[in-house]
Amino acid sequence: MIEYQITPLLPTAHIFEVICRIDKPDSAGQQVTLPAWIPGSYLVRDFARHITTIEASDAKGDLDVQKIDKQTWKCAAAMAAIEIRIEVYAFDESVRAAYLNESRGFFNGTSVFLRVVGQEQQACSIKIMPPTDEQFADWRVATTLPSVDISEEGFGQYRADNYADLIDYPVEMGVFDCFEFEAGGVPHAMALCGTHDADTVRVSQDLKKICEVQQDMFGGSPLERYLFLTLVKTQGFGGLEHRNSTSLICSRSDLPTREMVSASQEYHRFLALCSHEYFHLWNVKRIRPPAVSGSDLTAEAYFHDLWAYEGITSYYDELFLLRAGVIEPQAYLDELARTITRVWRTPGRHKQSLSESSFDAWTKFYKQDENAPNAIVSYYAKGAVVAMCLDLQLRLDSEGAKSLDDVMRLLWQRYGAQNNPVPEHGIEALVEEVAGLSYSEFFAAYIYGKEDPPVAELLTAFGIKVRLRQRNGAADLGGVSNGPVTGNADLGVLTAVENGREIVKVVLNGRAGEEAGIQVGDEIVSINGQRLIPGSIDSRLNLASAGDCWVLHVFRDDMLIDKDVLLGEKPLDTWSLSLPARPEPEQLAMQQSWWQK
């Protein structure tokens, strides 16, 4: 057994102390390493860079420790048990790493627990120690690590089956609120860390419905318990899935208050985040790709099917809110329209396929620059749109007898429940097995190719009214139209106000700004000799027409230059979806099957 002890040693200095005891070290010198990335977040983050101290000893005294690469160390040979002590600087408040201050502590195992090379299958014992200072006497622990001998506050001894198991249990410590609920007979809980005024009864009621709808789809839960670890901040949003828990960050405004009558769009967004991470219990954590499940986390794990794991999950996250009765159909259609709009506003969708986007996540999606909208497409957003189209196409081809739900159930029964990874590109074969038809053209065009999926045609077949229109100002993200479009002029750049200056952040390919030579970093100071008030460029465009000529005066590297711009026309890239007043009975039945099944 490998034994670990972790202590919040110096909260104000953000230092965790971690001791790893190895009873039977390699007689040639034990190697230890720290993961370079964390499953679920496909970017090499080099967690070992936060180790500030490493030292080893045995019963005889100190042992020499040599660093052999960026994340691996080798101890001098020892014939008996050794201890390796590290100090980890923890000041990353994301869901991916470790954080410690006088208010709270949080860690993922990938940031703090050394992997003992050659002994990864050994069972692990983990002792979580409390801070020693009395000012932290009210701290407690929230985690789904299996407990062995713990205090009422949660400090003490835990266990894990092996190293891969060990690093899949995030741990929160500090002062937090925790509320519990049952879903499908399984205990669930949410720990809310941070100042909030949330209506936890409402949250638990809504989450119960969402979790149970997901469980019903797969015929039950694979869990004994589940935990939502949630950090509440002034601003923030995100999540990371684990095998029987999730780490979330949300804004205070995302949570419902007791005074809230109608659920806000922000609260729906939070519930969709919870739904997304919960669905990963099946799709990613158990229905999983071989590249990730077989990785030792020292380097990238490339695969082409990430769209199926994140895109399909993104499609279902909002759909489960509708199926659970948490949102109404129009709210679902508005969110769906916003997702489609995000894809249609990305020129890179014609330069990168979903398969390529999946493979290049490590170097492109997680390392976006100013040209990203022109060069890449999101396997989340476009993956969700293609997943919707695949679902609707399956329903049409089978006259409502089959759907993407059946594909997911088959993935679960054949792979997830059997603890076998899904072969790469294996989902295509399962789609064809469910449908009894070839879907090679669909996959070739929309997943391996760069064509736009037939969104309008499929939605129309289900009785959804589709409107593709021009953007109506910067705040128009799609969904129900906010009035008639004012002005049709397009500059083709995205700007932001920084320190009272209008700065170009993105120049879109093939649009007016690029053709005129505007570049990222330019500060636009005037239009046709009239000073531009920062933040007013949209209102200026609303007064212009396509074909108008502008003279832009910009500062570039502190030099004032003029650019003649022939304004283009706003593209049709904004989607609105709605229900007809009197749908055809057949279409109504199709909608109900889609939204209620």
Side-chain angles (χ1 to χ4, degrees), residues 5 40 99 122 179 198 213 216 281 291 319 346 410 473 480 532-533 586 589:
Q5 177 177 293
Y99 184 83
Q122 289 281 326
F179 60 91
V213 167
D216 290 345
L281 289 179
L319 183 57
T346 304
L410 186 57
V480 172
L532 176 68
I533 298 173
E586 180 180 339

Side-chain angles (χ1 to χ4, degrees), residues 394-444:
L394 283 165
R395 293 172 185 274
L396 286 174
D397 289 342
S398 66
E399 297 183 346
K402 299 294 181 180
S403 69
L404 188 58
D405 295 6
D406 296 293
V407 176
M408 297 309 299
R409 279 189 286 266
L410 186 57
L411 278 165
W412 168 246
Q413 294 160 5
R414 189 165 296 174
Y415 296 104
Q418 305 303 319
N419 197 29
N420 293 321
V422 182
E424 189 161 27
H425 307 307
I427 189 173
E428 182 176 355
L430 265 66
V431 167
E432 294 183 342
E433 182 178 337
V434 166
L437 299 169
S438 172
Y439 270 64
S440 59
E441 291 185 4
F442 183 100
F443 276 74

